[in-house]
């Protein structure tokens, strides 16, 4: 069953603005991760937040996690045209010997110069 | 050096054919995955292997048969290709333990005509 659901599906902003993407999920998790995918390329890991963490920063990225609401947000500050890509959240859960990453449908971010 | 490499990058074939996609990782990871990304960018896990052993099979038709000759390789063989198999297939690897990221290959765009 699908875990993460991102919103919005698409987001268009101007360079310099902040971009916020949200992710909701349904079951218990070990951690939540955000990935970026440029058109025609593979996914690249951006940031991981553990289930016992509430906020994490990495450069211009800020991720929050609210396990009571089963939701996360990714904030990209001072966006650049090069940030244009699809962004996916992925929930990680460990059950027995299975460590499984389940992805949401992604948010397509367009940053206009 | 590419951490996760998959070949070929593009594959165009006729319905009914059998084809294989190869994947290799040089990260020393124990766990490898195959994901399918459809035309709407939805990423769905297909298989996961841990140390050459199948641990996740997400109700994939048995026309799809993964093979892991060693923990650095996970190949995907597809029999009797159908139009609906057209998608981008991604190989990924991870350390397979909680709170670690996955590394993705560049994808194989399969087009069945």
């Amino acid at each position: 069953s699908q875990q993460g659901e991102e919103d919005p599906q698409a987001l268009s902003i101007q360079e310099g603005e902040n971009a916020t993407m949200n992710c909701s999920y349904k079951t218990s998790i070990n951690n939540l991760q955000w990935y970026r995918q440029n058109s025609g390329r593979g996914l690249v890991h951006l940031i991981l937040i553990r289930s016992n963490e509430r906020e994490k920063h990495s450069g211009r990225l800020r991720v929050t996690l609210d396990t009571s609401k089963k939701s996360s947000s990714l904030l990209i500050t001072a966006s650049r045209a090069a940030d244009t890509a699809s962004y996916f959240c992925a929930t990680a859960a460990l059950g027995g010997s299975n460590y499984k990453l389940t992805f949401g449908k992604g948010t397509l971010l367009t940053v206009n110069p | 050096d590419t951490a996760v490499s998959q070949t070929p990058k593009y594959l165009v074939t006729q319905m009914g054919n059998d084809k294989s996609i190869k994947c290799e990782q040089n990260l020393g990871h124990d766990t490898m995955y195959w994901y399918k990304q459809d035309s709407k960018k939805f990423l769905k896990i297909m298989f996961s292997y841990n140390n050459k052993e199948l641990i996740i099979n997400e109700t994939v038709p048995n026309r799809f048969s993964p093979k892991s000759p060693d923990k650095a390789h996970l190949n995907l063989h597809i029999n009797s290709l159908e139009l609906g198999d057209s998608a981008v297939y991604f190989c990924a690897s991870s350390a397979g333990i909680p709170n670690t990221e996955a590394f993705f290959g560049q994808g194989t765009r399969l087009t069945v005509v």
Side-chain angles (χ1 to χ4, degrees):
Chain A
S1 62
Q2 183 57 22
Q3 268 279 50
E5 293 281 343
E6 290 95 335
D7 82 273
Q9 288 189 331
L11 179 61
S12 182
I13 59 175
Q14 295 299 121
E15 227 172 4
E17 293 180 341
N18 295 340
T20 299
M21 289 160 266
N22 303 297
C23 170
S24 60
Y25 58 93
K26 294 175 183 170
T27 61
S28 297
I29 61 173
N30 284 91
N31 64 74
L32 186 143
Q33 304 179 28
W34 285 90
Y35 287 79
R36 166 193 168 126
Q37 184 181 32
N38 285 78
S39 180
R41 307 295 295 271
L43 281 81
V44 175
H45 180 263
L46 293 175
I47 194 165
L48 180 154
I49 185 164
R50 302 181 185 203
S51 58
N52 62 353
E53 296 176 315
R54 292 296 164 257
E55 188 171 313
K56 204 158 181 186
H57 297 255
S58 177
R60 294 184 295 113
L61 304 180
R62 173 179 169 255
V63 168
T64 62
L65 179 64
D66 186 334
T67 52
S68 66
K69 295 181 180 176
K70 292 188 168 57
S71 67
S72 172
S73 68
L74 171 68
L75 168 68
I76 304 174
T77 59
S79 64
R80 305 166 182 167
D83 294 330
T84 295
S86 291
Y87 291 82
F88 294 85
C89 71
T91 52
L94 182 64
S97 62
N98 298 346
Y99 180 63
K100 182 176 162 180
L101 266 184
T102 305
F103 285 82
K105 294 182 180 179
T107 294
L108 175 60
L109 173 66
T110 302
V111 181
N112 302 298
Chain B
D1 284 342
T2 305
V4 181
S5 59
Q6 51 183 111
T7 55
K9 189 170 181 182
Y10 299 98
L11 188 51
V12 181
T13 187
Q14 290 188 324
M15 278 176 59
N17 283 352
D18 303 337
K19 290 292 177 187
S20 292
I21 307 171
K22 295 187 175 183
C23 179
E24 175 182 4
Q25 54 97 2
N26 63 5
L27 299 166
H29 287 161
D30 287 336
T31 303
M32 295 184 73
Y33 312 85
W34 277 109
Y35 282 85
K36 178 181 180 180
Q37 187 173 43
D38 63 23
S39 57
K40 295 183 179 178
K41 301 279 194 177
F42 176 40
L43 260 168
K44 185 173 168 59
I45 190 167
M46 300 172 68
F47 300 103
S48 174
Y49 270 71
N50 184 273
N51 268 323
K52 304 192 299 176
E53 182 184 339
L54 178 67
I55 57 172
I56 294 175
N57 180 340
E58 287 286 307
T59 3
V60 178
N62 57 16
R63 296 184 296 105
F64 291 78
S65 52
K67 280 197 171 50
S68 183
D70 55 61
K71 74 173 194 177
H73 295 83
L74 181 61
N75 304 322
L76 183 64
H77 188 76
I78 316 170
N79 289 327
S80 303
L81 279 154
E82 301 176 356
L83 293 177
D85 297 331
S86 295
V88 183
Y89 293 83
F90 286 98
C91 176
S93 74
S94 76
I97 55 177
N99 303 316
T100 58
E101 67 201 78
F103 291 79
F104 281 78
Q106 291 298 295
T108 295
R109 181 173 294 277
L110 172 65
T111 304
V112 183
V113 297

